[in-house]
Amino acid sequence: ECKDLIQRARTAFQTGRTLAESFRLAQLEALVQMLEEHQCDFVDALGRDLHKPRFETIMSELILVKNEALYATDNLRKWMQPQRVERNLATSLDECLVASEPLGLVLIVGSWCSPVQLCLVPLVGAVAAGNCAIISPSECSAHTAELLHRLIPFYLDNECFHVILAGTNDLPEIVDLKFDHVFFTGSREEGRRVAQAAARTITPVTLVLGSKNPCYVDRDCEVSVAAQRIAWARFHNAGQSLVAPDYVLCHADVEARLVQALKCCVMQFYGSDPAESRSYGRLVNLELFNRTKDLLWRSGKVAAGGQVIEAEKYIEAPTILTGVTETDPIMQKDALGPVLPVMAVNSLDAAIAFINKHEKPLCVYAYSSNSKVVSRLMNETSSGSFCSNDSILQSLMVALPFGGVGASGMGSFHGRRSFDTFSHGKSCLLRSTRFECLTYLRYPPYEDRNLSLMTWASALSHKSQGWCHIL
């Protein structure tokens, strides 16, 4: 079935139907229409998969995708225009430009933690760039995957865009079928397998991978505000987020106040019994539940939460751990669950050293009223993205490219960057056959006189980039 869909999509691309601006705009508008007309269906599907509150589904899934699609619609004509580049002496009468052309057929593999957003936001970029696409939602969020499989054929072009329901173990075999680009979001282990499969066919990849995202809380900050923003970011969607803070490096002077403030946020957000709260979700499956429970019970000391209900895949939100050490299991593995370890550090230098000792994360967060502290964390650590005095928002903004670096991935997306990710920037030099009286200098037989003239011409401009200016 997958081979057949790939062949249909390739055939459709070769007809050139995706190249027209009108086609791309129509597909983007249809995508927005699908989200608007089936909002209740998406809320229901995500509720079944993740017990995701309606508020979170609409705000962090549906509105985010619509914003991307509308932004692309508003800017598509400008993005499609060739970009002219600076000319030099030799090309002063020519045109030098970079033309964006679609890559062809792309594979988009979404993650279960944000199953609508992480499938459709990349799809917006692929559509805007003029590609055909195969979308593979995660099998873990089965209801959402089936909804996308059912709806997309009714709204998007039936030959150019397809949804396949495949398991994680099938991904390397699917990638082997050869695409022009693979966009993957998920765990490092799965991303590594996808990248290895793509390498066999020399297929470029974009990887957005899970990581241990550090959050530093300085002694010079509004502790109550920091606690609210950290708690919201860590525990929304029951902690199942690639971009949430994974652990807090807290200055020892404010550790006790921060932990108490976090406890207060738990009560404020979810009430005395979070299991009954309509604002709190559940873990996606028993495998993740058991993994999170194991990490929780083998690490630190529970300061709040910690109760579990296995039948409901429920871990009380939030679970705050104190007394955590670097060697605890919760600090060694990605924890996609509602558990927040808090570690005390004695200085900013210690926090920076701790962050830099580990793999480059997808996000680094810093809470401080001191701009010098924020500046040091931003400049002296490396991460896919950075945000001060808030969390997650940098990954939601259309105008900010988002992606990983090092172990947290490669490539980026959102807004114009999504368009560029799914495009090839083709360098174009449009020349005439005039002025052969100058270009003849490059031809054999080589003469010292000609070399002298070319050297002189290249030196005319202090911006000279080398011999190509006269060649």
Side-chain angles (χ1 to χ4, degrees), residues 183-338:
F183 189 104
F184 173 86
T185 52
S187 70
R188 292 185 190 180
E189 293 76 14
E190 293 169 3
R192 186 179 295 110
R193 288 166 48 219
V194 167
Q196 288 170 345
R200 289 194 288 268
T201 53
I202 317 179
T203 300
V205 295
T206 299
L207 301 175
V208 182
L209 307 178
S211 68
K212 300 295 292 182
N213 302 322
C215 175
Y216 175 68
V217 178
D218 191 43
R219 61 182 170 185
D220 185 12
C221 81
E222 293 288 340
V223 172
S224 60
V225 174
Q228 281 192 313
R229 296 181 180 184
I230 293 169
W232 168 78
R234 176 67 262 180
F235 302 115
H236 90 283
N237 199 30
Q240 299 166 108
S241 170
L242 297 178
V243 295
D246 276 83
Y247 62 93
V248 172
L249 295 173
C250 176
H251 197 287
D253 291 352
V254 293
E255 181 186 16
R257 282 193 292 144
L258 178 65
V259 171
Q260 184 58 40
L262 288 169
K263 290 180 181 179
C264 292
C265 289
V266 176
M267 180 69 69
Q268 179 184 346
F269 291 171
Y270 306 110
S272 57
D273 185 4
E276 299 298 321
S277 172
R278 295 172 56 192
S279 300
Y280 180 62
R282 298 293 185 271
L283 298 185
V284 69
N285 55 37
L286 281 175
E287 180 183 355
L288 179 64
F289 170 84
N290 289 326
R291 182 174 178 275
T292 306
K293 180 177 66 173
D294 182 61
L295 294 175
L296 162 66
W297 285 352
R298 293 166 54 207
S299 305
K301 176 183 177 183
V302 174
Q307 292 86 350
V308 300
I309 304 174
E310 187 163 351
E312 296 184 21
K313 296 174 287 190
Y314 170 77
I315 294 179
E316 182 173 354
T319 297
I320 303 167
L321 297 178
T322 56
V324 176
T325 66
E326 185 179 356
T327 58
D328 282 349
I330 196 73
M331 296 299 296
Q332 299 299 314
K333 298 181 180 179
D334 295 346
L336 286 172

Side-chain angles (χ1 to χ4, degrees), residues 105-177:
L105 175 61
V106 303
L107 174 65
I108 297 170
V109 182
S111 173
W112 52 266
C113 56
S114 295
V116 176
Q117 176 203 141
L118 294 178
C119 281
L120 299 189
V121 170
L123 179 62
V124 167
V127 170
N131 298 279
C132 293
I134 304 290
I135 305 105
S136 177
S138 172
E139 62 181 333
C140 294
S141 49
H143 295 92
T144 305
E146 289 167 4
L147 181 62
L148 290 171
H149 185 261
R150 176 167 59 87
L151 291 181
I152 282 183
F154 283 99
Y155 286 88
L156 301 187
D157 186 284
N158 276 201
E159 298 300 316
C160 297
F161 306 103
H162 306 278
V163 178
I164 58 172
L165 300 178
T168 301
N169 294 330
D170 300 323
L171 285 178
E173 186 178 352
I174 293 172
V175 173
D176 274 335
L177 296 176

